């Protein structure tokens, strides 16, 4: 698998050697591998709300195996005679996995929907609701991942790591899939941003344009996580704090006052998804964010040249809470179960647990 991309020369496509993404501590890790089979990596979407049982939209809870979310939508669209854009989804799930998630569509007979099936796809349940699903309409995801090759003798070490992550949170890196094969999305995004973004907006599909520019934002964020690894659970003066309860952000005026809430994982320091409307930190946290963008050759003003409202910028917590973490010993290895908030990646937990990681080094 490809690594998190390193800086490129904008407009040239020339890449520097890939550097590994560092782990948050030097604690002993366990051997093993994952995703050797789709059934070994199971993800269940945790919805932000339950369907009401009334309304013109149908919420379909599907199970897909070996399919991306967009592939599953395409299969449903062909079966129902509907266009892909008519479906609503709350999030994208890995193809190499067994994934259960909600998809919405309006004007479809429930009996017809529940009878749908295709290779790698089945409908588990159908309910009516009053609105279409939109990206982000989920609380998080539950993961059940078999680490093949780890044995009972590794259970104590793995449990200690899970306990530490539950107490302190996990570095909230964007995963490799955010950047495309060999970092292609990052390369394209940088070329567009330093060139003519408005021309690209006229010639590129909207979804693709959003994907490649988001890859640049994600690399900036990952760079800030790398620089802050030793202080992800520490609030500094001038930090932009993230309130985990509702995603609200505020600039920290008194770091000592906020320290207890940070220790309880109620709030965390945040990092940037750059854009013209982003709330910016002050002091040392602000300097770090500016330095990371400079190292990548990024001018923050580039994002302001994007079509209005497409990449205004946002904050993201530098660490993510890990919930309901459990460990089971199975004949083929150790099964890790845990919950993460929406937008956080299971690979961030696995890189803390595994001795050898195919992405992070």
């Amino acid at each position: 698998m490809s690594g998190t991309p390193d800086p490129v020369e904008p407009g040239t496509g020339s890449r520097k050697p890939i550097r590994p993404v560092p782990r948050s501590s030097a604690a002993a890790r366990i051997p093993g591998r994952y995703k050797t089979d789709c059934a070994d990596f199971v993800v269940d979407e945790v919805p932000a709300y339950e369907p009401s049982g009334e309304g013109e939209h149908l919420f379909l809870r599907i199970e897909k195996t070996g399919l991306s979310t967009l592939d599953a939508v395409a299969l449903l669209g062909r079966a129902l005679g509907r266009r892909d854009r008519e479906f609503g989804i709350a999030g994208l799930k890995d193809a190499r996995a067994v994934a259960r998630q909600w998809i919405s569509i309006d004007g479809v007979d429930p009996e017809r929907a529940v009878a749908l099936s295709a290779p790698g796809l089945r409908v588990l349940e159908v309910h009516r609701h009053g609105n279409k699903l939109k990206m982000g309409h989920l609380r998080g995801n539950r993961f059940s991942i078999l680490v093949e090759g780890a044995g009972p003798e590794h259970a104590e070490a793995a449990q200690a790591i899970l306990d530490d992550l539950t107490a302190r949170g996990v570095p909230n890196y964007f995963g490799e899939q955010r950047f495309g094969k060999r970092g292609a999305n990052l390369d394209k995004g940088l070329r567009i941003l330093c060139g003519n973004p408005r021309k690209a907006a006229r010639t590129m599909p909207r979804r693709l344009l959003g994907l490649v520019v988001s890859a640049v934002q994600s690399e900036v964020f990952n760079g800030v996580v790398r620089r802050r690894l030793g202080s992800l659970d520490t609030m500094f003066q001038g930090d932009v704090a993230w309130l985990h309860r509702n995603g609200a952000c505020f600039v920290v005026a008194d770091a000592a006052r906020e320290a207890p809430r940070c220790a309880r994982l109620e709030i965390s320091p945040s990092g940037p998804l750059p854009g013209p409307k982003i709330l910016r930190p002050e002091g040392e946290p602000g300097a770090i964010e500016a330095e990371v963008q400079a190292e990548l050759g990024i001018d923050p003003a580039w994002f302001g040249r994007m079509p209005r409202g497409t990449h205004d910028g946002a904050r993201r917590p530098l660490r993510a809470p890990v919930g309901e973490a459990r460990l089971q010993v199975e004949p083929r290895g150790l099964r890790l179960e845990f919950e993460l908030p929406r937008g956080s990646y299971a690979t961030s937990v696995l890189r803390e647990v595994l001795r050898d990681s195919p992405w992070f080094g």
Side-chain angles (χ1 to χ4, degrees):
M1 300 197 300
S2 62
T4 297
D6 249 34
V8 301
E9 305 287 340
T12 69
S14 107
R15 179 171 301 287
K16 298 177 183 178
I18 292 173
R19 67 185 167 205
V21 175
R23 296 180 169 98
S24 62
S25 73
R29 288 164 172 80
I30 68 172
R33 55 193 180 277
Y34 62 96
K35 281 194 177 180
T36 57
D37 186 270
C38 286
D40 295 340
F41 194 103
V42 180
V43 54
D44 277 276
E45 197 170 74
V46 182
Y49 49 84
E50 297 294 334
S52 66
E54 298 180 352
E56 63 183 31
H57 294 268
L58 278 188
F59 276 30
L60 288 65
R61 185 169 180 257
I62 67 164
E63 180 183 88
K64 62 182 189 65
T65 303
L67 296 171
S68 71
T69 298
L70 299 182
D71 288 339
V73 166
L75 284 173
L76 291 170
R78 286 195 291 271
L80 295 170
R82 303 293 290 271
R83 292 172 294 182
D84 293 3
R85 67 185 183 186
E86 295 180 71
F87 291 87
I89 57 175
L92 300 173
K93 302 292 179 287
D94 286 351
R96 192 166 177 76
V98 175
R100 305 180 189 105
Q101 67 179 116
W102 291 93
I103 293 179
S104 74
I105 185 70
D106 65 340
V108 172
D109 177 58
E111 292 187 3
R112 184 184 179 194
V114 80
L116 292 173
S117 67
L121 175 69
R122 62 189 181 119
V123 177
L124 302 177
E125 50 185 300
V126 175
H127 304 278
R128 289 196 177 276
H129 194 64
N131 62 264
K132 180 179 181 178
L133 265 178
K134 294 184 179 180
M135 288 294 289
H137 282 195
L138 71 161
R139 195 181 80 207
N141 296 286
R142 293 192 188 96
F143 296 92
S144 177
I145 302 170
L146 181 70
V147 176
E148 192 175 18
E153 67 275 19
H154 303 115
E156 183 176 352
Q159 186 64 62
I161 296 169
L162 290 177
D163 291 344
D164 182 61
L165 296 179
T166 298
R168 299 173 58 224
V170 66
N172 201 18
Y173 288 114
F174 282 103
E176 57 165 340
Q177 55 267 54
R178 190 79 169 188
F179 303 99
K181 292 182 179 179
R182 294 180 294 278
N185 290 347
L186 178 62
D187 285 342
K188 292 175 183 175
L190 284 167
R191 287 196 293 269
I192 287 169
L193 283 168
C194 72
N196 189 337
R198 294 189 180 275
K199 179 181 178 182
R202 294 194 300 269
T203 58
M204 289 181 68
R206 186 181 182 92
R207 186 188 295 271
L208 179 59
L209 178 64
L211 192 68
V212 298
V213 175
S214 293
V216 179
Q217 294 175 307
S218 301
E219 178 62 0
V220 172
F221 178 86
N222 278 4
V224 174
V225 176
R226 280 191 285 261
R227 291 283 298 272
R228 292 285 301 266
L229 267 187
S231 61
L232 298 183
D233 55 356
T234 303
M235 201 66 71
F236 292 127
Q237 208 84 358
D239 256 323
V240 175
W242 175 278
L243 185 59
H244 287 284
R245 176 171 52 83
N246 59 11
C249 293
F250 62 93
V251 177
V252 173
D254 187 337
R257 184 181 63 198
E258 303 298 347
R261 287 206 294 168
C262 189
R264 294 193 299 267
L265 238 173
E266 294 176 12
I267 60 174
S268 292
S270 69
L273 301 177
K277 295 186 178 180
I278 192 173
L279 181 60
R280 291 178 172 84
E282 302 168 356
E284 185 178 357
I288 289 173
E289 294 187 8
E291 289 165 6
V292 167
Q293 293 183 74
E295 289 170 2
L296 291 167
I298 292 172
D299 182 346
W302 288 350
F303 295 94
R305 302 188 314 189
M306 293 294 295
R308 181 173 297 177
T310 58
H311 288 82
D312 288 339
R315 305 297 301 184
R316 172 181 168 92
L318 295 179
R319 59 175 178 166
V322 179
E324 301 183 17
R326 294 184 292 271
L327 183 71
Q328 297 180 23
V329 178
E330 297 188 2
R332 291 174 50 222
L334 298 180
R335 182 168 295 277
L336 310 181
E337 297 181 347
F338 52 89
E339 184 174 319
L340 292 174
R342 65 185 176 94
S344 298
Y345 290 75
T347 47
S348 293
V349 173
L350 292 168
R351 62 178 283 285
E352 297 295 325
V353 174
L354 297 181
R355 183 181 302 163
D356 300 304
S357 168
W359 172 29
F360 294 95

